[in-house]
DNA sequence: CCGTATCCGGAACGATACTG
DNA sequence: CAGTATCGTTCCGGATACGG
């Protein structure tokens, strides 16, 4: 990760241009349907699989499994298997996971603060005539 | 977690449980492939359509159009049409758009800071035997 | 209890061609 | 220059059934 050449007036933001693929990578993690939910459930304490399953309803087994695996792969959660009578597996956030949680909290905070405004803007925009357009099939409904 | 009712112990984070649909909504905006890119390009100044197109390569016309429309719908960017000889349309961030930019910056900063660690964790995880699993098709390849 | 394998619908995205 | 319409593909995510 080396800077190509000095950027004189980067008052703004270099990460936007520089490691776009990199940032997109993280955004996809955060943008998928369940990662953030699971991370939040692990904010306080370590959890077991079906515990997470119940808390994250209506998540499916498949998606929880896949989500946890993705988080584990990125070093955001740890998976520990206890060899007890009925098998027991604990999931917990790693330090990196916690640091991501902080950022996600900021995002969630922004969402809460701006939810009303966004909803209002949407209804206003939708009310303002737009007959029909196949382009709605762009990003986010 | 023994309390049957009452959310007495919300020491942690209510937004995680409370407005999950709401937060997910914002996350989807942020998580789509181009919204963040476009927002970053508008960080400094107002931009025209093909200007954004070039800066955001390899975005397609269709996706840029759809992305901008989504952002406009949510009140994150404004669209101003100038009735000049060759038509000219300017896009710019709204105050709400700027506030989102701030949060996105934090996220991008986190991405930069943890990129190396994540890549390392991934290769390590992938190296650790996992023969084959269709579950990789979970969130985020 | 803790997962994995298989099937499948629909949404997101890209490529291309056309319009004002 | 600034879009829209149409088509095709890829891939996410839900339902279900099975295995350790």
């Amino acid at each position: 990760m080396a800077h190509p050449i000095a950027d004189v007036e980067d008052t703004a933001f270099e990460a936007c241009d520089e490691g776009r693929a990199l940032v997109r990578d993280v955004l996809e993690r955060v943008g998928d349907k369940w990662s953030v939910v699971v991370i939040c459930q692990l904010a306080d304490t370590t959890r077991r699989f079906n515990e997470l399953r119940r808390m994250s309803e209506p998540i499916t087994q498949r998606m929880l499994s896949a989500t946890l695996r993705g988080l584990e792969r990125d070093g955001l959660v740890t998976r520990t298997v206890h060899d007890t009578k009925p098998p027991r597996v604990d999931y917990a956030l790693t330090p990196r996971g916690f640091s991501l949680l902080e950022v996600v909290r900021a995002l969630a905070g922004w969402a809460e603060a701006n939810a009303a405004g966004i909803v209002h803007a949407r209804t206003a925009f939708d009310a303002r005539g737009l007959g029909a357009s196949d382009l709605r099939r762009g990003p986010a409904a």
Side-chain angles (χ1 to χ4, degrees), chain A:
Chain A
M1 184 138 322
H3 286 263
I5 276 206
D7 6 62
V8 204
E9 38 149 19
D10 247 351
T11 337
F13 193 39
E14 56 193 45
C16 286
D17 299 42
E18 185 176 307
R20 229 158 60 179
L22 183 158
V23 174
R24 260 243 305 126
D25 212 50
V26 174
L27 266 330
E28 275 174 16
R29 268 250 127 281
V30 160
D32 82 55
K33 200 169 184 183
W34 300 108
S35 289
V36 169
V37 175
V38 171
I39 288 175
C40 287
Q41 249 83 24
L42 292 173
D44 287 337
T45 176
T46 184
R47 304 277 185 196
R48 293 167 50 188
F49 187 86
N50 279 326
E51 201 172 354
L52 287 170
R53 180 154 163 51
R54 265 178 274 107
M55 297 176 74
S56 307
E57 250 160 328
I59 197 176
T60 61
Q61 261 187 350
R62 186 176 112 68
M63 288 319 292
L64 179 56
S65 191
T67 300
L68 286 169
R69 204 165 268 258
L71 294 173
E72 187 193 359
R73 190 171 104 99
D74 285 4
L76 297 169
V77 309
T78 58
R79 187 188 118 110
T80 21
V81 183
H82 298 104
D83 237 32
T84 56
K85 279 234 304 179
R88 176 204 179 102
V89 182
D90 283 335
Y91 292 92
L93 286 183
T94 64
R96 185 180 303 139
F98 276 110
S99 71
L100 178 55
L101 175 64
E102 293 305 312
V103 181
V104 167
R105 279 189 192 187
L107 205 45
W110 186 92
E112 265 200 350
N114 292 255
I118 290 178
V119 171
H120 179 267
R122 278 185 194 177
T123 49
F125 184 88
D126 292 347
R128 276 192 156 147
L130 275 103
S133 185
D134 195 25
L135 267 179
R136 311 293 177 65
R137 292 179 323 141

